[in-house]
């Protein structure tokens, strides 16, 4: 019996070895065909080395790995280029890396670009304002010696004298110059709100018009003075000073009309709503709509940024993923073990089927998980909010303003404190509730202890309520409330297919980008409103009460 059992064991071992050899031959053949295909593909890619698996019959079917070194350049590692395609909708293609906004330029070039327009406008406005005054002063100081050279001193004095009519023109000219100075200061001499990439067409047109006006008047002024000198030399009727005053007054009138035109083009034209613009912020999806007038694309972008910093809520990148409570149990995971006596192929197929059904179930129930996560998060925020409000109200009840001598002690024996000391005394009683609320709303990076104490001291010093103190933490708006956004210069990139100096029209789309935040702006025209009058006849404005058994009347 033992010999028979040994024989059966040996025969079983030999059959297993044969099956393993045939299985190894099949695997080696498959590997050889696969590697031959990989070799043909890799020859084009010029890999540094290639491998091939062959079966050597002389070694009883053992696998032999052959490595082939391919000749290539010594600097292959330096010249290797990897080209990838970005699949994220938050990033552009690799070719657009050079177009991404870089760090804001705050050097000398930016300063020159920022103030060069203001300097040019100021100089041209000063020249236009001083021109009428110079036209009246130059003949008086003898800047034109040929004027009345053939006349005596008495005649020249009579020529440059100013009578009653001339003095009236001078008074009128003084008031016009005062109005022109006030209007120019209000319209031109002011700090620019933004540095635009293109020229502001209306402003440039006004400046060119002022330059042409001043140049033309000075040209005719010089011609008139020269003609007057020639007439005085020939003994004809020479130029009178009253004519120069009238000439300067006409120049001032022209400048006032140009100023009026400037007010209409720059300040009034865009006040009438013509379009509405929808602004969508990425990545949180916050959106708002505004009515806007006839502006250029770049001026509309500046107008939108003003609205963004004053009306949009603060973007919190830490809330992109909803914080999950630690008490939530993790989803169950499956573990599979190999059991003796069970076919591996069957076990793998069963496990694969279970995993597929589990992933399908998770995919189908992902919206439910998101719903419950959002619901749980809102519940925790409301709970922390209620605790914070209660703790703050209780803390504010311990502070009372004194209306007596500040050097005297109170009835309880305590010394009076200033607002900062009172804030330091009250803050520990509400610090824990405030810390938990800021943690659950992910606002702790925006608020430091010093800023909170300073805000609390300011609220106590002005007798504000607890809700007024908590407004900064409960209402995360506007964007400028964030201390990190309170900068002197904010740099944005304007992206648009049209010229930035062109006016907006229906269908215009442009984007404003700053780091991870982008504003997509779409322009639509406002509809024409047809309002008609409808008259209701008062005789038909009568009613009858209808009663039945089911009415409650």
């Amino acid at each position: 019996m033992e010999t028979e059992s040994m024989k059966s064991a040996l025969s079983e071992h030999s059959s297993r070895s044969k099956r393993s050899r045939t299985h190894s031959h099949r695997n080696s053949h498959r590997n050889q065909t696969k590697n031959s295909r990989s070799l043909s593909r890799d020859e084009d890619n010029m890999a540094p080395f290639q491998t091939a698996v062959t079966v050597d019959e002389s070694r009883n079917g053992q696998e032999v790995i052959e490595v082939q070194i391919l000749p290539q350049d010594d600097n292959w590692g330096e010249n290797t280029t990897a080209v990838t395609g970005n699949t994220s909708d938050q990033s552009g293609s690799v070719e657009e890396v050079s177009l991404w906004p870089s760090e804001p330029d705050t050097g000398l070039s930016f300063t020159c670009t920022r103030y060069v327009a203001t300097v040019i406008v100021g100089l041209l406005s000063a020249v236009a304002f001083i021109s009428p005054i110079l036209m009246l002063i130059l003949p008086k100081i003898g800047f034109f010696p040929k004027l009345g050279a053939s006349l005596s001193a008495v005649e020249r004095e009579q020529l440059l004298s100013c009578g009653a009519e001339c003095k009236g023109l001078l008074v009128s000219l003084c008031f016009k110059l005062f109005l022109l100075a006030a209007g120019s200061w209000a319209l031109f001499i002011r700090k620019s709100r933004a540095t635009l990439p293109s020229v502001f067409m209306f402003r440039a047109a006004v400046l060119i018009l002022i330059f042409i006006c001043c140049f033309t008047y000075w040209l005719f002024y010089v011609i008139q003075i020269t003609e007057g000198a020639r007439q005085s030399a020939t003994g004809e009727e020479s130029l009178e000073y009253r004519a120069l005053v009238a000439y300067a007054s006409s120049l001032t009138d022209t400048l006032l009309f140009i100023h009026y035109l400037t007010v209409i083009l720059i300040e009034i034209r865009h006040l009438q709503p013509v379009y509405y613009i929808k602004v969508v912020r990425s990545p949180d999806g916050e959106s708002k709509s505004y009515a806007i007038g006839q502006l250029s694309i770049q001026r509309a972008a500046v107008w939108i940024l003003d609205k963004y910093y004053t009306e949009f809520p603060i973007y919190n990148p830490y809330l992109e993923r909803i914080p999950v409570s630690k008490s939530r149990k993790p989803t169950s995971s499956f573990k599979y073990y190999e059991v003796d006596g069970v076919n591996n192929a069957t076990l793998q197929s069963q496990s694969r089927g279970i995993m597929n059904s589990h992933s399908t179930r998770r995919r189908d129930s992902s919206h439910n998980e998101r719903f419950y996560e959002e619901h749980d998060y809102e519940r925790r925020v409301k709970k922390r909010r209620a605790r914070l409000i209660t703790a703050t109200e209780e803390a504010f009840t311990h502070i009372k303003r004194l209306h007596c001598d500040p050097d005297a002690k109170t009835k309880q024996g305590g010394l009076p404190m200033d607002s900062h000391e009172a804030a330091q005394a009250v803050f520990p009683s509400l610090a824990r509730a405030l810390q938990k609320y800021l943690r659950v709303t992910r606002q702790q990076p925006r608020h430091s202890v010093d800023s909170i104490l300073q805000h609390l001291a300011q609220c106590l010093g002005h007798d504000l309520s607890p809700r007024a103190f908590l407004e900064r933490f409960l209402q995360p708006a506007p964007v400028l409330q964030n201390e990190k956004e309170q900068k002197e210069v904010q740099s944005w990139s304007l992206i648009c297919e049209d010229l930035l100096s062109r006016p907006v029209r229906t269908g215009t789309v442009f984007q404003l980008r700053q780091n991870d935040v982008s504003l997509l702006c779409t322009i639509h025209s406002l509809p024409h409103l047809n309002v008609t009058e409808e008259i209701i006849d008062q005789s038909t404005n009568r009613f009858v009460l209808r009663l039945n058994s089911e009415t409650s009347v």
Side-chain angles (χ1 to χ4, degrees):
M1 296 292 292
E2 293 178 358
T3 57
E4 292 178 359
S5 61
M6 292 177 64
K7 289 180 180 180
S8 62
L10 290 174
S11 61
E12 184 178 0
H13 179 69
S14 61
S15 61
R16 286 181 180 178
S17 62
K18 290 179 181 180
R19 286 197 301 269
S20 63
R21 286 180 181 176
T22 56
H23 183 67
S24 63
H25 278 290
R26 292 175 181 175
N27 289 338
S28 63
H29 180 68
R30 291 174 183 174
N31 293 332
Q32 186 175 4
T33 56
K34 290 181 180 179
N35 286 305
S36 63
R37 294 176 182 175
S38 63
L39 283 175
S40 61
R41 289 194 304 266
D42 292 338
E43 284 178 359
D44 299 332
N45 297 331
M46 294 297 292
F49 59 89
Q50 296 175 352
T51 60
V53 181
T54 58
V55 179
D56 192 356
E57 297 296 340
S58 62
R59 297 187 180 182
N60 297 327
Q62 295 182 0
E63 296 179 353
V64 178
I65 300 176
E66 297 180 356
V67 180
Q68 180 183 3
I69 306 298
L70 298 178
Q72 49 194 309
D73 191 5
D74 295 335
N75 299 326
W76 67 272
E78 299 177 0
N79 298 331
T80 304
T81 304
V83 180
T84 60
N86 295 330
T87 58
S88 174
D89 58 352
Q90 301 294 333
S91 60
S93 61
V94 179
E95 292 78 10
E96 296 176 353
V97 174
S98 60
L99 303 178
W100 291 356
S102 57
E103 294 295 328
D105 184 13
T106 57
L108 182 60
S109 60
F110 171 75
T111 306
C112 295
T113 306
R114 181 180 180 183
Y115 294 106
V116 65
T118 305
V119 172
I120 293 175
V121 171
L123 291 177
L124 194 55
S125 301
V127 169
F129 178 77
I130 297 175
S131 293
I133 303 175
L134 291 178
M135 289 180 181
L136 300 178
I137 294 177
L138 292 179
K140 288 286 187 179
I141 63 177
F143 188 78
F144 299 99
K146 293 184 179 181
L147 181 59
S150 62
L151 301 177
S152 62
V154 178
E155 293 176 347
R156 184 175 182 181
E157 184 177 356
Q158 292 178 357
L159 181 63
L160 297 178
S161 62
C162 187
E165 183 181 358
C166 179
K167 290 180 180 178
L169 292 175
L170 284 176
V171 173
S172 175
L173 179 62
C174 292
F175 279 99
K176 291 177 183 178
L177 288 176
F178 174 76
L179 296 177
L180 182 62
S184 300
W185 171 79
L187 187 62
F188 291 107
I189 311 301
R190 56 183 177 180
K191 188 177 181 181
S192 60
R193 283 282 299 108
T195 303
L196 302 179
S198 298
V199 179
F200 184 14
M201 290 299 182
F202 288 144
R203 191 167 186 172
V206 169
L207 293 178
I208 294 174
L209 185 60
I210 293 175
F211 175 77
I212 294 175
C213 176
C214 293
F215 178 79
T216 305
Y217 266 86
W218 273 111
L219 180 62
F220 281 95
Y221 177 80
V222 173
I223 294 175
Q224 191 174 8
I225 290 293
T226 307
E227 185 67 21
R230 188 185 63 81
Q231 290 178 359
S232 63
T234 57
E236 300 178 2
E237 184 180 356
S238 59
L239 180 65
E240 295 182 357
Y241 188 72
R242 182 178 58 84
L244 295 179
V245 176
Y247 191 79
S249 180
S250 66
L251 172 59
T252 308
D253 293 337
T254 306
L255 293 176
L256 284 174
F257 282 116
I258 293 177
H259 184 272
Y260 173 72
L261 177 64
T262 305
V263 172
I264 294 177
L265 292 179
I266 298 180
E267 301 295 334
I268 299 179
R269 182 174 179 268
H270 67 274
L271 297 181
Q272 180 68 28
V274 180
Y275 307 96
Y276 87 90
I277 181 169
K278 184 175 182 181
V279 186
V280 181
R281 182 172 65 181
S282 177
D284 61 343
E286 186 72 24
S287 64
K288 289 184 181 295
S289 297
Y290 303 100
I292 194 172
Q294 296 179 354
L295 293 173
S296 62
I297 296 176
Q298 56 184 1
R299 292 190 69 199
V302 174
W303 191 86
I304 287 299
L305 288 178
D306 290 336
K307 293 293 184 180
Y308 170 73
Y309 280 107
T310 54
E311 297 185 11
F312 266 71
I314 300 174
Y315 168 63
N316 194 346
Y318 303 101
L319 286 179
E320 286 299 314
R321 179 173 177 82
I322 299 176
V324 182
S325 177
K326 296 181 180 179
S327 60
R328 288 180 60 89
K329 296 181 180 180
T331 56
S332 60
S333 58
F334 293 94
K335 295 183 179 180
Y336 300 96
Y337 300 93
E338 184 179 356
V339 182
D340 295 337
V342 180
N343 190 4
N344 292 333
T346 305
L347 181 61
Q348 291 178 0
S349 62
Q350 292 179 356
S351 62
R352 189 179 298 107
I354 295 175
M355 289 296 292
N356 292 335
S357 62
H358 177 63
S359 62
T360 305
R361 193 181 303 112
R362 281 181 56 85
R363 185 172 60 254
D364 296 339
S365 62
S366 59
H367 63 281
N368 291 330
E369 295 179 0
R370 189 179 187 88
F371 168 76
Y372 287 114
E373 287 178 359
E374 293 179 355
H375 180 72
D376 180 63
Y377 175 71
E378 292 176 358
R379 182 187 62 82
R380 286 187 288 130
V381 170
K382 291 180 179 179
K383 185 177 180 180
R384 301 297 184 192
R385 177 191 176 101
R387 288 182 179 178
L388 176 59
I389 294 174
T390 304
T392 306
E393 290 178 349
E394 292 178 355
F396 269 60
T397 57
H398 297 93
I399 297 297
K400 183 179 180 181
R401 179 180 290 274
L402 295 179
H403 299 281
C404 59
D405 187 7
D407 297 331
K409 292 186 177 181
T410 60
K411 296 180 179 180
Q412 290 78 9
L415 292 175
M417 300 179 294
D418 58 8
S419 59
H420 188 70
E421 293 175 349
Q424 290 179 344
V426 169
F427 181 70
S429 59
L430 57 91
R432 183 174 179 83
L434 181 59
Q435 182 183 10
K436 288 185 177 181
Y437 179 79
L438 295 180
R439 186 181 301 167
V440 75
T441 56
R442 296 296 191 267
Q443 298 186 49
Q444 65 271 28
R446 296 207 318 261
H447 303 284
S448 61
V449 179
D450 295 336
S451 63
I452 295 175
L453 284 175
Q454 184 178 1
H455 177 58
L456 180 58
Q458 184 180 8
C459 293
L460 292 176
H462 291 82
D463 290 333
L464 299 184
S465 63
R467 292 295 185 96
F469 164 71
L470 294 176
E471 183 271 339
R472 175 176 295 184
F473 313 104
L474 302 182
Q475 300 291 336
V479 176
L480 280 180
Q481 183 173 295
N482 188 4
E483 295 180 357
K484 296 182 178 179
E485 297 290 344
Q486 297 176 1
K487 302 177 183 178
E488 183 180 359
V489 178
Q490 290 282 355
S491 298
W492 289 78
S493 298
L494 178 57
I495 305 171
C496 184
E497 296 180 356
D498 300 332
L499 292 177
L500 302 183
S501 58
R502 290 183 177 178
V504 296
R505 61 179 185 273
T506 303
T508 301
V509 178
F510 61 89
Q511 185 183 28
L512 292 163
R513 183 184 295 273
Q514 184 189 57
N515 298 330
D516 296 334
V517 179
S518 63
L519 304 176
L520 183 64
C521 306
T522 308
I523 308 294
H524 303 276
S525 61
L526 291 175
H528 176 76
L529 303 179
N530 183 19
V531 181
T532 59
E533 182 183 4
E534 182 178 356
I535 301 175
I536 299 177
D537 189 4
Q538 296 297 328
S539 61
T540 61
N541 197 10
R542 299 291 185 269
F543 302 93
V544 177
L545 183 62
R546 302 176 61 183
L547 300 177
N548 52 33
S549 60
E550 297 180 357
T551 58
S552 59
V553 180

